[in-house]
Amino acid sequence: MLRHFLLGKIHRATVTRADLDYVGSITLDPLLIEAAGFMENEKIDIYNVTNGSRLSTYVIPGVPGSGEVGINGAAAHLVQKGDLVIIAAYGWMTAEEAETVAPKVVFVDERNRITERRRQERTPLCVAAFTD
């Protein structure tokens, strides 16, 4: 049986622009795309930490090193410049595959520069339980 698992995410990125007149998608700095393990045109989910909205779209690369997180098209009604977002991709795999595949979790600063990369995700309260 196939199940849906997290493959990668960018945690609390700052939206650099929101463009209603573009046809759709999210434009991301290719350094962020690579770090999170995303692929061009891959479906991703966006969770807006600022206002609680959620949406799905696809990835297009922007300028390397720009820190761009640009929301394009209709999604710009739900996400504004300056909002904090979580961007996540998921994939179908068996339980056995999931035991060997760890998600790429990318943390960024306020300018969307990578500050930390992890291969797992734990809430602060659970960290101690997994370190001993």
Side-chain angles (χ1 to χ4, degrees), residues 13-17 26-28 32 67-71 85 87 112:
T14 302
V15 174
T16 58
R17 67 174 179 75
I26 183 172
T27 304
L28 291 173
L32 296 174
E68 183 174 16
V69 176
I71 307 300
V85 295
I87 306 160
N112 299 324

Side-chain angles (χ1 to χ4, degrees), residues 45-85:
D45 290 334
I46 301 172
Y47 311 123
N48 190 324
V49 176
T50 303
N51 70 22
S53 66
R54 293 174 168 243
L55 62 111
S56 296
T57 189
Y58 60 95
V59 174
I60 59 173
V63 176
S66 65
E68 183 174 16
V69 176
I71 307 300
N72 304 312
H77 285 289
L78 301 174
V79 182
Q80 303 298 311
K81 181 179 179 179
D83 285 358
L84 291 178
V85 295

Side-chain angles (χ1 to χ4, degrees), residues 82-122:
D83 285 358
L84 291 178
V85 295
I86 297 168
I87 306 160
Y90 299 87
W92 294 98
M93 59 186 94
T94 65
E96 293 78 21
E97 289 172 314
E99 300 232 355
T100 65
V101 176
K104 293 182 177 183
V105 182
V106 179
F107 293 85
V108 296
D109 66 13
E110 64 281 348
R111 293 176 51 205
N112 299 324
R113 293 176 302 201
I114 298 168
T115 59
E116 185 179 355
R117 299 172 198 232
R118 293 186 193 164
R119 296 297 289 183
Q120 64 180 357
E121 184 170 34
R122 300 286 186 251

